[in-house]
Amino acid sequence: GKKLSREYVDKDKPPTAVTYRSTYKALWKCAECDHEWLATLNQRTTSRNPNACPACGARKSAGDEHAAG
């Protein structure tokens, strides 16, 4: 969607040149924390477990562990 297209910041390949099944790892930038990381389009869009920002995910996991303890 729109959020995904805003987070695509790869300068080597435009988003229109990357297909769903491509193995190309594009550069993404989190709209919330500005963290940048590499991931395929498929990793970002899979319905079972979409790959969101790993930095935000790590913070959320750490917060969940502290809440449970």
Side-chain angles (χ1 to χ4, degrees):
K2 289 184 181 186
K3 180 184 177 199
L4 195 63
S5 65
R6 282 194 307 266
E7 291 186 344
Y8 188 99
V9 295
D10 198 298
K11 302 230 186 283
D12 294 333
K13 260 190 186 181
T16 55
V18 181
T19 63
Y20 175 74
R21 296 247 183 222
S22 173
T23 59
Y24 179 73
K25 289 193 174 186
L27 184 64
W28 304 87
K29 184 175 182 178
C30 179
E32 293 181 29
C33 74
D34 290 334
H35 175 75
E36 292 185 350
W37 76 102
L38 295 173
T40 65
L41 182 60
N42 189 30
Q43 289 172 321
R44 293 296 321 268
T45 59
T46 184
S47 61
R48 285 185 289 162
N49 187 19
N51 180 315
C53 174
C56 288
R59 281 198 304 273
K60 287 176 185 172
S61 292
D64 290 345
E65 288 174 13
H66 293 298

